[in-house]
């Protein structure tokens, strides 16, 4: 798609560990990771309030869904929940991915309730016939379910339908434990269910990440603080790295910095990007000042590899924000990356003002034809020169200040790894040609390639 220039004065102001083992047909993983963040629904049982906890509260996660076991998508819930709850004094001692059948969920509950005082179950609370978690939990705990008037009223308002007109499959989502409570869901129709079972407190969360994550932060965290005496969200700092490995960051921390013992550290590596989060149990001026000192130390020693020091800003956001701040646009031409780079940039807030055009082709020659590069000019150039022609044509054709072109994969030798050439054209017309390893078509390894491409652009923009 090629877009005409958008006047700069019309741009908007807003920019931007698990060991897995098989157990009775279940996929069991021990999780020992950890990070952040609070209003509760009606009917809290006051006699469940606990004194402040002096030690970590153990909990187990059960993630339901046959798609996880079939490899359709990975379990992201364990990672999010453990990172959010660990700084609050809650320790995950196990995580199971199980099929969404009554017997598998029941076996998982039996194991989890024997191991921890808190069990968190995700998924299976929706309106379809396969959403059986609510009924399985009721049968396992011997706690009956009853329609709650407030939940029913909320459902009426959400769908704009009187209760007697609500479909039966939707209305069953208003049934909550008679011994326990529920927590509100601002993003969906399925509320969080809290079963006060004899063996453990069981919390059932909806499966969609867009519903689960805000409910954990805004509803579950304060509910657990009230029940177990864990503290609510304290101070935290997330620093995001690209172009450097976790081990090198760890080594720099040990040799160049002194991390206080009370600072809780967690890390995550994905697609060539590394996140380190540091948390303190309380939130106040003194705690924030300590984390700010830590942030400055990281920028002093590893600033070249830091693209954000908050948990929300992505690498894509960082690149697009740099272009937006300059009121400059970019065009992208892709062969070896198959449109993944443009797709990554297109999901940012300011993409309509920054991403001026994107072309995807199956060969460099096809990309040449799409960009209108003349045959004789193309024949007279070598591989690097042709990539420079493509980058120049992409910028000129879309009237973009910047362009980035990803060439076709080229094998260095019959046994060596394939590589792709990359050309970045700057606003002054200068061209930067480099190459990088081409990992193949696997989505997992290609995400690392896209991270490398974005990092090349980030560095060129500085």
């Amino acid at each position: 798609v090629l877009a005409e220039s958008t006047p700069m004065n019309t741009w908007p102001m807003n920019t931007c560990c698990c060991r897995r083992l098989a157990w009775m047909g279940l996929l069991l993983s021990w999780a020992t990771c950890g990070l952040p963040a609070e209003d509760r629904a009606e009917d809290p049982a006051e006699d469940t309030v606990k004194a402040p906890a002096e030690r970590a509260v153990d909990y187990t996660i059960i993630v339901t869904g046959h798609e996880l076991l079939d490899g359709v998508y990975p379990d992201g819930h364990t990672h999010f929940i453990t990172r959010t709850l660990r700084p609050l004094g809650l320790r995950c001692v196990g995580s199971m991915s199980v099929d969404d059948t009554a017997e598998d969920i029941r076996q998982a509950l039996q194991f989890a309730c024997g191991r921890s005082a808190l069990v968190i179950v995700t998924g299976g609370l929706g309106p379809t016939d396969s959403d059986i978690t609510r009924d399985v939990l009721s049968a396992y705990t011997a706690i009956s379910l009853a329609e709650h008037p407030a939940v029913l009223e909320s459902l009426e308002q959400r769908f704009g339908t009187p209760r007697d007109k609500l479909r039966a499959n939707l209305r069953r989502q208003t049934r909550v434990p008679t011994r326990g409570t529920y927590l509100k869901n601002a993003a969906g129709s399925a509320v969080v269910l809290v079963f006060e079972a004899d063996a453990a407190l069981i919390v059932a969360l909806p499966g969609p990440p867009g519903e689960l994550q805000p409910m954990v932060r805004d509803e579950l965290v304060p509910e657990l603080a009230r029940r177990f005496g864990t503290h609510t969200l304290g101070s935290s700092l997330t620093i995001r790295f690209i172009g450097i490995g976790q081990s090198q960051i760890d080594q720099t921390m040990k040799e160049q910095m002194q991390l206080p013992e009370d600072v809780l550290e967690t890390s995550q590596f994905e697609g060539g990007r590394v996140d380190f989060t540091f948390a303190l149990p309380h939130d106040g001026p003194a705690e924030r000042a300590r984390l700010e000192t830590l942030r400055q130390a990281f920028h002093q020693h590893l600033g070249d590899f830091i693209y954000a020091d908050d948990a929300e800003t992505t690498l894509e956001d960082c690149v697009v924000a740099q272009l937006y701040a300059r009121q400059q646009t970019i065009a992208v031409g892709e062969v070896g990356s198959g449109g993944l780079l443009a797709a990554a940039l297109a999901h940012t807030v300011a993409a309509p003002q920054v991403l001026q055009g994107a072309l995807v082709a199956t060969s460099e020659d096809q990309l040449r034809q799409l960009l209108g590069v003349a045959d004789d000019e193309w024949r007279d150039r070598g591989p690097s020169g042709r990539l420079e022609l493509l980058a120049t044509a992409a910028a000129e054709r879309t009237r973009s200040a910047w362009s980035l072109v990803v060439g076709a994969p080229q094998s260095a030798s019959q046994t060596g790894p394939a590589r792709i050439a990359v050309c970045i054209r700057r606003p002054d017309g200068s061209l930067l040609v480099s190459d990088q390893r081409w990992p193949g078509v696997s989505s997992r390894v290609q995400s690392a390639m896209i991270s490398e491409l974005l990092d090349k652009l980030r560095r060129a923009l500085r």
Side-chain angles (χ1 to χ4, degrees), residues 50-339:
K50 299 288 190 280
E54 297 181 356
R55 62 180 181 83
V57 175
D58 293 346
Y59 68 98
T60 305
I61 302 172
I62 301 172
V63 184
T64 69
H66 68 273
E67 299 91 348
L68 295 166
L69 305 181
D70 292 341
V72 176
Y73 55 78
D75 165 26
H77 291 336
T78 294
H79 173 251
F80 173 79
I81 292 170
T82 53
R83 288 190 68 186
T84 302
L85 299 186
R86 187 180 175 196
L88 313 181
L90 293 127
R91 182 180 63 185
C92 182
V93 295
S95 175
M96 289 172 276
S97 298
V98 307
D99 200 355
D100 41 12
T101 67
E103 180 58 19
D104 282 355
I105 297 173
R106 187 197 66 78
Q107 290 182 8
L109 287 167
Q110 185 175 4
F111 178 84
C113 290
R115 182 168 177 80
S116 56
L118 170 65
V119 177
I120 298 175
V121 184
T122 73
L125 299 181
T128 69
D129 291 339
S130 61
D131 293 314
I132 62 173
T133 298
R134 173 184 282 101
D135 293 316
V136 173
L137 291 179
S138 175
Y140 179 80
T141 61
I143 298 174
S144 61
L145 299 166
E147 191 171 78
H148 196 288
V151 181
L152 179 57
E153 183 180 355
S154 176
L155 209 61
E156 286 181 300
Q157 294 174 355
R158 180 176 183 83
F159 291 99
T161 304
R163 60 189 63 190
D164 59 337
K165 300 292 185 182
L166 282 171
R167 299 194 307 273
N169 63 332
L170 287 175
R171 187 156 177 169
R172 75 182 183 192
Q173 292 182 301
T174 67
R175 297 161 62 226
V176 304
T178 56
R179 192 167 85 237
T181 187
Y182 74 94
L183 306 177
K184 296 176 182 178
N185 182 356
S189 58
V191 297
V192 177
L193 305 179
V194 181
F195 289 80
E196 295 175 354
D198 296 332
L201 184 75
I202 303 175
V203 176
L205 295 162
E211 298 179 34
L212 180 145
Q213 294 185 8
M215 296 179 80
V216 169
R217 289 191 300 257
D218 302 336
E219 302 288 339
L220 184 57
V221 165
E223 178 70 10
L224 296 180
R226 188 183 70 84
R227 289 178 176 271
F228 291 100
T230 58
H231 52 77
T232 52
L233 179 64
S235 298
S236 66
L237 166 68
T238 296
I239 302 181
R240 318 195 84 172
F241 299 88
I242 183 67
I244 187 173
Q246 284 175 290
S247 59
Q248 190 174 345
I249 299 171
D250 278 324
Q251 184 177 353
T252 302
M253 283 195 293
K254 292 175 182 176
E255 295 177 354
Q256 307 292 337
M257 309 176 209
Q258 290 186 343
L259 199 65
E261 291 185 0
D262 61 336
V263 174
L264 181 65
E265 168 203 331
T266 60
S267 62
Q268 174 196 4
F269 174 85
E270 184 177 5
R273 312 178 196 190
V274 183
D275 290 357
F276 268 77
T277 297
F278 307 91
L280 289 166
H282 304 290
D283 185 17
E287 287 79 14
R288 295 175 193 175
R290 292 176 62 197
L291 291 178
E292 173 59 22
T293 299
L294 184 60
R295 186 191 72 82
Q296 292 176 7
F298 270 106
H299 277 272
Q300 177 185 349
H301 297 290
L302 295 171
D304 193 45
F305 304 101
I306 296 173
Y307 67 87
D309 45 24
D310 65 80
E312 286 75 38
T313 301
T314 66
L315 183 55
E316 292 82 357
D317 292 331
C318 172
V319 169
V320 170
Q322 286 179 282
L323 288 163
Y324 185 90
R326 299 178 180 201
Q327 295 194 348
Q328 294 175 341
T329 55
I330 187 170
V332 176
E334 300 180 73
V335 179
S337 51

Side-chain angles (χ1 to χ4, degrees), residues 353-423:
Q353 290 73 43
V354 169
L355 184 58
Q356 193 73 348
L359 283 172
V360 182
T362 58
S363 68
E364 292 180 10
D365 187 64
Q366 185 185 65
L367 186 58
R368 170 190 73 83
Q369 295 177 49
L370 291 171
L371 289 170
V373 176
D375 291 352
D376 55 349
E377 197 175 9
W378 184 257
R379 286 194 300 267
D380 294 339
R381 298 291 188 101
S384 295
R386 289 179 173 181
L387 211 62
E388 291 174 350
L389 279 176
L390 294 174
T392 300
E396 292 176 350
R397 180 80 181 272
T398 59
R399 305 177 193 175
S400 298
W402 292 78
S403 68
L404 188 153
V405 171
V406 183
Q410 302 291 334
S411 296
S413 67
Q414 289 185 343
T415 58
R419 306 191 69 82
I420 55 172
V422 180
C423 183

Side-chain angles (χ1 to χ4, degrees), residues 31-49:
T32 56
C33 15
L35 186 185
E38 240 205 1
D39 248 20
R40 208 181 76 241
E42 295 85 9
D43 353 20
E46 295 301 331
D47 58 357
T48 61
V49 178

